[in-house]
Amino acid sequence: MFKLALNAGHGMNTPGKRCLKTIDNNETREWALNSRICNYIEKYLSEYEGYSLIRLDDTSGKTDIPLKTRTAKANNFGADFYLSIHHNAGINGRSGGGVIAIVYKTIKDGSTTALWQKALYERIISATGLKGNRSNPLQKQDLHEVRESKMPAVLLECGFMDSSTDTPVILTEAFAQKTARAIVEVLAEKGGLKKKDATAKTTETAAPTARKKTVDELAREVIRGLWGNGNERKTRLCNAGYSYREVQARVNQLLR
Ligand SMILES: [Zn+2]
């Protein structure tokens, strides 16, 4: 059983933690963005089995739970991995930024934690394209969450809330979904989670009456957006036991 401690940083009313008004008139709160990604992570994880999860933040956003309480909860839970979702600031309305993944300052390159950090960062960048312009997006810092948690811990800064290039992107639902999907893929791989569909499929294959969808049906579903895009589409089709290559070829044919 893979145990995940998942944290949406801050609370709705934590002072200062919000998008820059000149870019986002609503001054969207950081917790709202953090929590939205965490909620999608929970949703996408529910497609898998073999894990248990606790949220370390107040999921209503009302209380900014002290960091000590959050890490203590993760430690008591005996989590295998600690994932904290944040959004960054410090660009002051200029352009640039991007996703940053942070681990504790003493973490060695090539260690379990460093591999988590690298995998999460790379998968999110490939899914969202929010690479930004930071010289070192894989950072080591002395932050409470990554220091006090007893398990591998990564704090993700999912783009800047005061960047003219990042902020419009991170405000979108699509960005939250892609980021969460990328994270869940890494969690599933590293946590050894099984797709629930995969189990269903085994039963299905065993039953002679089971019917798989034809390539043509699948291609039409793909075009309707039911299988996502890019890597997500590939992974989902493969997990469902279909040939991505065949389906994509038919999609291309239909769209020609
Ligand atoms: Zn934060």
Side-chain angles (χ1 to χ4, degrees):
M1 179 68 67
F2 173 71
K3 295 171 92 173
L4 174 67
L6 182 62
N7 186 47
H10 317 289
M12 188 63 102
N13 300 311
T14 310
K17 301 290 184 182
R18 59 191 60 184
C19 291
L20 191 66
K21 192 172 169 62
T22 50
I23 303 174
D24 170 27
N25 204 33
N26 297 323
E27 294 179 276
T28 304
R29 304 311 195 251
E30 182 185 338
W31 177 83
L33 297 176
N34 299 338
S35 177
R36 179 167 67 170
I37 291 180
C38 288
N39 291 344
Y40 277 120
I41 291 173
E42 289 193 57
K43 180 177 174 204
Y44 298 149
L45 264 178
S46 72
E47 298 166 10
Y48 293 84
E49 55 195 8
Y51 73 96
S52 63
L53 173 150
I54 47 162
R55 279 281 288 262
L56 306 175
D57 57 310
D58 170 8
T59 55
S60 75
K62 280 182 199 142
T63 315
D64 185 350
I65 311 255
L67 290 177
K68 265 179 107 166
T69 311
R70 300 194 196 217
T71 48
K73 194 173 169 188
N75 292 340
N76 289 336
F77 180 56
D80 297 300
F81 186 59
Y82 185 114
L83 180 62
S84 189
I85 303 294
H86 285 256
H87 289 72
N88 221 334
I91 302 268
N92 298 315
R94 295 188 299 272
S95 66
V99 174
I100 292 171
I102 302 165
V103 297
Y104 186 51
K105 62 177 183 180
T106 59
I107 295 295
K108 302 258 184 309
D109 293 340
S111 64
T112 306
T113 305
L115 293 176
W116 270 106
Q117 175 192 30
K118 190 166 183 287
L120 286 165
Y121 174 77
E122 286 176 355
R123 198 68 67 93
I124 293 170
I125 294 304
S126 119
T128 65
L130 204 69
K131 194 164 187 331
N133 62 351
R134 303 291 95 172
S135 55
N136 179 21
L138 297 177
Q139 296 183 2
K140 295 176 185 180
Q141 287 188 35
D142 186 6
L143 299 177
H144 178 98
E145 287 189 83
V146 292
R147 183 184 62 241
E148 299 300 327
S149 45
K150 290 182 176 143
M151 64 293 304
V154 177
L155 188 152
L156 291 171
E157 295 279 9
C158 303
F160 283 74
M161 298 181 293
D162 59 350
S163 152
S164 61
T165 42
D166 282 11
T167 309
V169 175
I170 65 177
L171 286 171
T172 65
E173 203 74 26
F175 174 79
Q177 290 170 338
K178 285 179 199 166
T179 302
R181 183 60 79 182
I183 290 169
V184 166
E185 283 173 13
V186 175
L187 291 169
E189 275 171 31
K190 288 189 167 285
L193 309 185
K194 280 207 197 81
K195 260 263 152 114
K196 283 178 183 165
D197 292 353
T199 324
K201 186 169 67 76
T202 316
T203 332
E204 217 179 288
T205 322
T209 50
R211 179 187 157 279
K212 288 185 93 173
K213 288 175 180 164
T214 66
V215 171
D216 197 75
E217 281 178 270
L218 287 163
R220 286 170 202 283
E221 288 184 0
V222 163
I223 292 167
R224 279 173 22 229
L226 301 182
W227 293 86
N229 289 306
N231 273 337
E232 181 201 344
R233 180 185 296 172
K234 201 167 185 172
T235 310
R236 286 178 57 196
L237 282 168
C238 290
N239 285 341
Y242 295 114
S243 159
Y244 169 78
R245 210 167 40 80
E246 271 177 42
V247 174
Q248 195 58 45
R250 182 65 184 139
V251 168
N252 296 343
Q253 238 173 23
L254 288 169
L255 292 176
R256 203 166 287 150

